[in-house]
Each structure stands twice: as C-alpha cells, then as structure tokens.
C-alpha cells in the first residue's frame, strides 16, 4: 500500500513538472507565432478561461476523488456510482450553462466594457472550451479516487499535445489568436474521447454500474447538494489563486493598450519558472506535515520546515537574482527574432521578485494545510485576491504594466509574511535565522557581482557561467552549509556514476560547515 502510494505521488509529481514544461513550451510558441497585439489578447482572455473552467468543473475532481475513495474503502459500490452519476450531470449542466453564458452574455459585455470589439470572438471561443473541460475534470476525479494516476497523466498528455499541435496548425492557417483558442477546444475534446475510452476499457464495472443505476429526482438533489457543499471551498481557493496570477491582466485593458499587455503576458511565464522548485517542495511537505502532526512529532516537523525553507532560498535566490538583473537580456535571448519584446524587462524583474515571495507562501501554505488548517490558506488567498484587485486599480493607471507587476509583488509579499507568522504560531518554529541570513548575504554578494558585469549579451553569458560558482563559493566562505547537505549529496552520489564532481562538492560543503 505504501509503495503504491509513493508510486502514485511520484507519478503526479513528475507529471506536474512535465506538463508545466509543456505549458511553458505552448506559451513560448504562441509568443513566436503571434504578434504583440494577438498575444496581448490571449493574455487578457486566459484568466476568464481559467475562472470559467473552475466554475464549470464545480470543484468536482477532488470531490469525486474523496467520496469514491471513501466508498471504495467500505465496499459501498452503489453509493460510489451515485456520486459519479450525479457529478457527471452537474459537470454537463454547468459546462453547457457557463459556456452559453460566456458566448451570449459575458463576452459581449466584456467587449463593451473594454471598448475593444476585437476581444469579442476570442472571449466567445472560451465558451466552447468550458463544456469539454468540465466533463474531463469529472473523469479525472474518478481516476484519482481509484488511485489510477497514470490515466490522469494520459488524458492530460492527450490534451496538451493536441492543443499545441492544433493551435500551431490553425495559427499557420491564418486564424491567429482565435486559432490558439480553438486549438485548446480541440485539445479538451480529444482528452474527453480518451477518458471515455479509458473508463469503458479499464473500468467497465463502473461504466456498467452507472448505466444500470436508477435515481429519483429528490435523491439526486440531495447528492448534488452534498457535492456542491464540499466543492465551494475548493472553488473559492482555486479562483483566488487564479486571481493572484491573472487579475491584473483583466484590469489592464481599461487603462492601457492590448499590445502593452502582451509584454506582461510574455514576462509572466518566465517569472514563474523558478516556482517549479517551491511547488515540488510544497507537494512533498503537505503529507509530511500531516504525518508529523498526527504522530505528534513536532520536533521532527520543525527540522523538515527548516530544511524546506532553507533549500527553497538556496535555489531561488541565485535564479531570481539572475532573472531580475539580466531581465532584458533574458528576453532578447529567448525571443531573439522579436527584440521589441525586451520592453517587458522591467515587468519581468518585478514579477520575478513577486514569484520569490510566492514561493515562500507556497511552502508555508502547504505546511499549514498539512497541519490541519486548510481553510487558512483559502482565507489568505481570498484576502490576497481583494488586495491585488484594489492595488491594480490604483497602480495600473499610473505605472501601466509595471503597476500590475508591482501589485502582484506587494500582494505575494503580504501573504508570504502572514503565512509565515501563522505557521510559527501553529507549530512554534525555530527559524534558525542565522542560516537564512547567510544565504541572503551570499545572494547579495552574488548580486553585486552580476551588477558589475556589462548590461549586454556578453554580461549575460558571463553571469550565466559564473553565477553558481560565485554563489557556492560565498556560501562556503560564510559557512552556509550544514550536515544535511552532505547526507543529500551522498544519496545522489550513490545513484549517479560521475564521482569526481561529487567529490568536489563534498569538499566544498565540508569547508562550508560550522
């Protein structure tokens, strides 16, 4: 059972990394294939797409997963089938309903509010995506509930591959941003076909049980109420998180041009790249903190917390410093065919700082959830949504796209500080501030070194080459390493045959320990 649990968690972890990379590839391809205005339109409509998908799915995937796993544990197959059947009906109903509302009401209203008719058709395309994504989400909830994570990965793989290929083809054929959005429709449609096939092929007992089930209307309403009640916190949390990332781009069209918004959309995925590290740490820390709290091993938990924050800082500090200092050069190198995109350099610098703060919140929030306080994270995200909304209306009219980035950075700083304060109150953390100061000092010295380099492609290349050697050298000089680093190095050393490199790192770590 334990091995199966670890296997499923590793599958999801690697799957998340793989699909996140795929998402970045998609965005970068869109940047190359679309002009600034078209990419700006895609940036504006994306938050509405994400929000509608969450609303249409109704928080069903985790809800279905929860109840299926519970009923399977008690061998209550009939109740399991009831949950699945009612969930499918909710998904189909909400998907079609929100799709129609988007096409005929929300899209025309937004086009009028923004005073920009070119947004109408792209916004209406979102309405075509929602029904398919809602039903696919329900299927994925079934797979999660029966611990068949590989089928979730298969459906996501089909969705992402078909979305990328279809979008590229349609853009080349001249459909521009509409082609990109229709490519997403095709991706979800193909994913729907794949999950129907998987359910019929590998879960025929469930498929057959659903078809034979007969439910009265009153019983369906009762089950639907049960599902929706559980789903509401999930929906609110998801929408609030979307808001932190994207609410600024929905406000920008009121004050600045679509092409300027494109610069924000170009910088945002690059700024979020380092979050892959914190997301992996937070994914690991949630079950660990749950286990430590359940077994009353708070001292062990404190060690995990200390190391999670410490490794997040060690990795994030040099990466974020490099992105902030060489933001212009990063954009020039990544989009060498479109040098005008380097105008988004200041946005990238500010957003990178904001994502650094968010990495701290991501880990502390995961620990708070694992400690049995899941609603705290929801309240923090909801508060952050309100804060970034207010700040966006204040800052964007005066500072343009930079105002949106500043609003994001200030909001993520706020929630990171509050979450740290609450986590400390919850488990009385001994933060060992001295070790964090050493890491930040090493980052400061490395930052000065990067600033001395010329602000051009030569400086960018030199910075890329010497960033880690300088940073690790400073960490060694300030005694920023600890015995746990040696333990982790030994684990990798036993699995990877390149012994000479590990021998060098071992000497550096030993010299860099108190």
């Amino acid at each position: 059972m334990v091995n199966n649990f670890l296997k499923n968690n590793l599958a999801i972890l690697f799957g998340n990394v793989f699909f996140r990379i795929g998402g970045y590839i998609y965005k970068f391809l869109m940047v190359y294939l679309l002009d600034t205005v078209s990419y700006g339109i895609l940036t504006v409509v994306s938050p509405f797409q994400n929000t509608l998908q969450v609303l249409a799915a109704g928080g069903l995937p985790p809800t279905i997963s929860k109840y299926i796993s519970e009923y399977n544990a008690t061998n209550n197959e009939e109740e399991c089938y009831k949950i699945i059947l009612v969930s499918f009906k909710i998904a189909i109903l909400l998907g079609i309903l929100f799709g129609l509302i988007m096409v005929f009401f929300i899209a025309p209203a937004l086009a009028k509010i923004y005073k920009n008719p070119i947004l109408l058709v792209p916004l209406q395309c979102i309405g075509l995506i929602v029904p398919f994504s809602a039903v696919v989400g329900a299927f994925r909830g079934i797979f999660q509930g029966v611990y068949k994570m590989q089928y979730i990965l298969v459906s996501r793989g089909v969705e992402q591959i078909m979305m990328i290929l279809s979008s590229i083809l349609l853009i080349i054929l001249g459909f521009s941003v509409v082609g990109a959005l229709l490519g997403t429709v095709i991706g979800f449609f193909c994913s729907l076909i794949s999950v129907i096939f998987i359910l019929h092929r590998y879960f025929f007992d469930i498929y057959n049980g659903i078809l034979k089930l007969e439910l009265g209307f009153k019983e369906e309403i009762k089950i639907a109420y049960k599902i929706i009640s559980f789903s509401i916190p999930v929906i609110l949390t998801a929408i609030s998180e979307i808001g932190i990332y994207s609410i600024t781009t929905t406000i920008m069209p009121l004050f600045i041009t679509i092409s300027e918004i494109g610069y924000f959309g170009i910088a945002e995925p690059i700024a979020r790249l380092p979050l892959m590290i914190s997301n992996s740490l937070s994914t690991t820390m949630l079950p660990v903190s749950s286990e430590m709290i359940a077994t009353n091993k708070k001292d062990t938990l404190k060690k995990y917390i200390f190391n999670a924050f410490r490794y997040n800082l060690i990795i994030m500090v040099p990466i974020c410093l490099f992105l902030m200092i060489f933001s212009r050069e990063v954009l020039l190198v990544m989009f060498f065919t479109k040098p005008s995109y380097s105008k988004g350099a200041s946005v990238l610098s500010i957003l990178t700082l904001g994502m650094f703060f968010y990495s701290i919140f991501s880990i502390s929030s995961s620990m708070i959830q694992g400690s049995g306080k899941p609603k705290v994270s929801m309240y923090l995200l909801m508060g952050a949504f309100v804060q970034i909304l207010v700040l966006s209306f204040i800052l964007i009219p005066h500072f343009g796209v930079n105002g949106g980035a500043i609003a994001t950075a200030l909001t993520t700083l706020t929630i990171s500080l509050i979450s740290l304060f609450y986590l400390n109150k919850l488990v009385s953390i001994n933060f060992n501030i001295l070790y964090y100061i050493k890491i930040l000092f090493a980052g400061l010295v490395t930052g000065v070194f990067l600033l001395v380099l010329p602000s051009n492609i030569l400086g960018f290349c030199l910075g890329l080459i010497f960033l880690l050697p300088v940073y690790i050298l400073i960490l060694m000089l300030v005694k920023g390493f600890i015995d746990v680093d040696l333990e982790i190095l030994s684990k990798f050393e036993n699995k990877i045959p390149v012994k000479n490199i590990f021998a060098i790192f071992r000497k550096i770590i030993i010299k860099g320990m108190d």
Side-chain angles (χ1 to χ4, degrees):
M1 180 67 183
V2 174
N3 288 334
N4 191 44
F5 173 78
L6 291 173
K7 181 182 176 182
N8 283 323
N9 273 278
L10 284 172
I12 288 295
L13 179 59
F14 286 116
N16 284 337
V17 172
F18 177 81
F19 294 122
R20 186 175 289 272
I21 292 170
Y24 287 126
I25 291 171
Y26 170 75
K27 286 196 173 185
F28 293 140
L29 285 171
M30 293 304 101
V31 171
Y32 277 111
L33 293 169
L34 299 172
D35 57 39
T36 311
V37 173
S38 297
Y39 192 76
I41 293 171
L42 191 63
T43 303
V44 171
V45 303
S46 291
F48 296 106
Q49 176 187 330
N50 296 334
T51 303
L52 272 178
Q53 283 180 220
V54 170
L55 287 171
L60 291 178
T63 307
I64 295 172
S65 170
K66 167 186 160 60
Y67 287 120
I68 286 179
S69 58
E70 284 181 5
Y71 292 139
N72 273 342
T74 56
N75 296 316
N76 197 341
E77 291 183 352
E78 187 176 345
E79 290 299 318
C80 181
Y81 298 154
K82 288 178 182 178
I83 287 288
I84 293 172
L85 179 61
V86 175
S87 296
F88 275 134
K89 289 184 177 181
I90 293 172
I92 293 168
L93 178 64
L94 291 180
I96 294 172
L97 178 63
F98 280 107
L100 290 172
I101 290 172
M102 186 69 201
V103 171
F104 295 107
F105 298 101
I106 297 177
L110 287 172
K112 287 182 180 179
I113 290 170
Y114 291 141
K115 298 178 181 178
N116 201 331
I118 64 172
L119 290 172
L120 178 59
V121 175
L123 285 166
Q124 287 176 323
C125 287
I126 294 172
L128 303 177
I129 299 169
V130 174
F132 299 121
S133 66
V135 180
V136 167
F139 275 100
R140 289 173 182 170
I142 297 174
F143 302 149
Q144 186 178 354
V146 295
Y147 301 105
K148 296 295 182 182
M149 307 303 180
Q150 64 268 32
Y151 297 132
I152 297 176
L153 300 182
V154 169
S155 70
R156 289 183 66 187
V158 170
E159 172 202 326
Q160 194 168 79
I161 291 169
M162 293 307 299
M163 176 184 73
I164 292 172
L165 294 177
S166 301
S167 297
I168 292 171
L169 178 62
L170 290 170
I171 292 171
I172 291 172
L173 290 174
F175 288 93
S176 189
V177 67
V178 173
L181 292 165
L182 289 178
T184 307
V185 177
I186 294 170
F188 273 109
F189 176 76
C190 293
S191 182
L192 178 59
I193 299 299
S194 72
V195 291
I196 291 172
F197 172 79
I198 290 170
L199 186 69
H200 185 269
R201 177 70 176 80
Y202 299 103
F203 302 95
F204 187 76
D205 53 338
I206 294 177
Y207 180 83
N208 201 36
I210 294 170
L211 291 179
K212 291 180 178 180
L213 192 64
E214 292 183 7
L215 277 178
F217 180 72
K218 286 186 178 180
E219 190 175 5
E220 285 192 355
I221 294 296
K222 186 178 178 181
I223 295 171
Y225 178 78
K226 180 181 181 180
I227 292 169
I228 292 169
S229 297
F230 183 85
S231 300
I232 288 172
V234 178
I235 295 168
L236 291 174
T237 302
I239 291 175
S240 298
E241 190 167 5
I242 291 168
I244 293 173
Y245 286 133
S246 308
I247 191 66
T248 53
T249 56
T250 65
I251 296 169
M252 285 178 187
L254 298 171
F255 304 105
I256 59 178
T257 64
I258 296 294
S259 59
E260 289 178 279
I261 299 169
Y263 298 132
F264 188 96
I266 291 160
E268 189 256 351
I270 301 172
R272 285 175 60 180
L273 272 171
L275 287 182
M276 292 175 65
I277 306 300
S278 60
N279 286 341
S280 299
L281 286 169
S282 62
T283 300
T284 307
M285 282 307 300
L286 195 152
V288 166
S289 55
S290 297
E291 182 183 338
M292 294 299 110
I293 289 292
T295 54
N296 200 28
K297 295 180 180 178
K298 287 195 174 182
D299 289 337
T300 307
L301 176 60
K302 289 176 185 179
K303 291 179 182 178
Y304 277 112
I305 292 172
F306 165 68
N307 284 312
F309 281 123
R310 182 173 167 274
Y311 284 120
N312 183 63
L313 275 182
I314 284 176
I315 298 170
M316 291 289 287
V317 164
I319 295 173
C320 291
L321 278 171
F322 185 82
L323 284 176
M324 290 170 67
I325 292 170
F326 287 105
S327 56
R328 178 178 171 274
E329 287 71 27
V330 167
L331 291 171
L332 284 172
V333 170
M334 295 190 76
F335 308 112
F336 57 91
T337 60
K338 298 186 177 182
S340 62
Y341 285 175
S342 62
K343 293 177 183 177
S346 57
V347 176
L348 176 57
S349 296
I350 301 166
L351 281 178
T352 300
L353 180 62
M355 293 305 106
F356 172 76
F357 295 139
Y358 192 83
S359 73
I360 297 170
F361 167 75
S362 177
I363 295 171
S364 56
S365 173
S366 182
M367 294 173 190
I368 291 168
Q369 290 179 56
S371 301
K373 302 288 183 181
K375 288 187 178 179
V376 172
S377 296
M378 181 185 74
Y379 295 143
L380 279 172
L381 286 168
M382 289 173 66
F385 179 84
V386 174
Q387 180 182 345
I388 198 169
L389 185 67
V390 172
L391 288 175
S392 295
F393 275 106
I394 294 171
L395 297 172
I396 291 172
H398 297 288
F399 302 104
V401 285
N402 289 335
I406 294 168
T408 303
L410 290 174
T411 301
T412 53
L413 172 62
T414 302
I415 58 174
S416 66
L417 291 175
I418 295 173
S419 62
L420 282 173
F421 175 79
Y422 186 84
L423 182 63
N424 185 48
K425 183 181 177 182
L426 194 64
V427 293
S428 301
I429 306 168
N430 179 10
F431 276 110
N432 295 316
I433 296 295
L434 181 61
Y435 287 100
Y436 297 128
I437 291 173
K438 288 178 179 179
I439 295 168
L440 293 174
F441 178 77
L444 178 64
V445 174
T446 306
V448 171
F449 164 74
L450 293 175
L451 286 169
V452 170
L453 296 174
S455 299
N456 53 31
I457 298 300
L458 174 62
F460 169 85
C461 294
L462 291 172
L464 201 59
I465 294 168
F466 291 106
L467 173 67
L468 288 182
V470 170
Y471 180 66
I472 292 170
L473 177 64
I474 302 301
L475 267 180
M476 183 188 75
L477 293 174
V478 298
K479 305 292 183 182
F481 293 106
I482 59 176
D483 54 356
V484 176
D485 301 331
L486 275 178
E487 293 176 18
I488 293 173
L489 185 70
S490 298
K491 289 180 181 179
F492 281 104
E493 193 173 6
N494 294 330
K495 295 178 181 179
I496 300 174
V498 186
K499 302 294 182 182
N500 292 335
I501 295 175
F502 284 104
I504 295 170
F505 275 110
R506 179 177 289 277
K507 290 178 181 178
I508 291 171
I509 290 172
I510 291 171
K511 287 185 179 180
M513 291 169 59
D514 287 327

